[in-house]
Amino acid sequence: MAAKRAFNVERAERHAARPAPIRFPSDTTPEGLIAIEHNGVADILILSDDGTQLVDGQPAKGHPDPARRTFRGFLLSGLKTQ
């Protein structure tokens, strides 16, 4: 199994001294990011692969029931881009 790497998402305010971190559950394993902008407002969907999470005592990615193999999504909505 590959080592877990750090994953950070930050929200930067125009006049803030430092970006503010956006917190996710500690077991989040980001695999994808989808960003959609419309009229200066962005929605960002972060997908987390739950394949290593235990389901019925075994990793989800090898579970015999395909419905138990999951991803989670975290939606950051209404982010101003301008």
Side-chain angles (χ1 to χ4, degrees):
M1 176 172 22
K4 189 170 183 177
R5 290 181 275 176
F7 174 73
N8 295 319
V9 175
E10 296 177 340
R11 180 185 65 233
E13 299 291 336
R14 184 176 296 210
H15 302 288
R18 294 182 50 171
I22 297 172
R23 305 272 184 225
F24 294 96
S26 62
D27 63 348
T28 302
T29 309
E31 290 284 328
L33 181 127
I34 301 166
I36 300 170
E37 180 185 0
H38 182 70
N39 293 330
V41 178
D43 287 338
I44 299 174
L45 178 63
I46 297 171
L47 298 174
S48 175
D49 182 356
D50 289 344
T52 59
Q53 299 295 318
L54 294 180
V55 176
D56 302 330
Q58 62 182 331
K61 65 182 166 187
H63 200 283
D65 180 357
R68 302 293 301 239
R69 303 176 201 159
T70 62
F71 276 80
R72 284 179 289 168
F74 300 91
L75 182 64
L76 305 176
S77 186
L79 305 170
K80 293 184 181 181
T81 60
Q82 298 177 353

